[in-house]
Amino acid sequence: FIEQRHYERKILGQEVGEIVLFFGCRHREKDELYGSEWRSYAEQGTLSAYHCAFSRDQGQKIYVQQLIAQQSALIFPLLTQKRAHIFVCGSSGNMPRDVRLALISTLEKEGPMDTKSATSLIQTMERTGRYNTETWS
């Protein structure tokens, strides 16, 4: 997807929407397989932002959902005004639920939304294909 958008933007000269990537894994050195490519796309402007969480590289674990909470002001307009598409990929453990809750919290924090309204927006995004999960155990 990112390669396609890069091609459309750089080679074809087309305008493409923002791409914000949150990536998480245990160790940068062992697990961030495409990190150099993603950093390059960020430097060239194809990725609007690239946020990484490495849960085992420091004493205190850092997860993607924490980065989502930190970037709530960036995420809110993407969800509510720019019709963002969300792709949650990875372990089927707690991560999908925790990312969903972080997005709901973002909607509550940044907009005048209560939990019911924020949850409803995420559910609508799911029904309309704007919120997708691909997880495995």
Side-chain angles (χ1 to χ4, degrees), residues 39-100:
R39 280 186 288 284
S40 175
Y41 287 140
E43 290 166 5
Q44 296 177 60
T46 299
L47 283 178
S48 306
Y50 176 45
H51 302 279
C52 306
F54 303 103
S55 62
R56 304 299 194 276
D57 282 352
Q58 62 283 318
Q60 183 178 7
K61 294 179 181 178
I62 300 172
Y63 295 108
V64 165
Q65 56 269 25
Q66 293 167 302
L67 298 182
I68 289 170
Q70 291 171 3
Q71 297 297 321
S72 61
L74 168 70
I75 294 168
F76 182 78
L78 295 173
L79 296 175
T80 60
Q81 298 164 15
K82 298 184 179 183
R83 299 191 43 81
H85 288 251
I86 305 290
F87 299 92
V88 179
C89 305
S91 170
S92 62
N94 295 329
M95 183 274 299
R97 180 200 67 220
D98 292 345
V99 166
R100 181 187 182 93

Side-chain angles (χ1 to χ4, degrees), residues 82-122:
K82 298 184 179 183
R83 299 191 43 81
H85 288 251
I86 305 290
F87 299 92
V88 179
C89 305
S91 170
S92 62
N94 295 329
M95 183 274 299
R97 180 200 67 220
D98 292 345
V99 166
R100 181 187 182 93
L101 291 173
L103 292 169
I104 290 169
S105 293
T106 290
L107 291 166
E108 293 171 321
K109 175 184 173 188
E110 296 296 333
M113 282 190 178
D114 59 16
T115 302
K116 184 177 179 181
S117 299
T119 301
S120 178
L121 176 60
I122 298 297

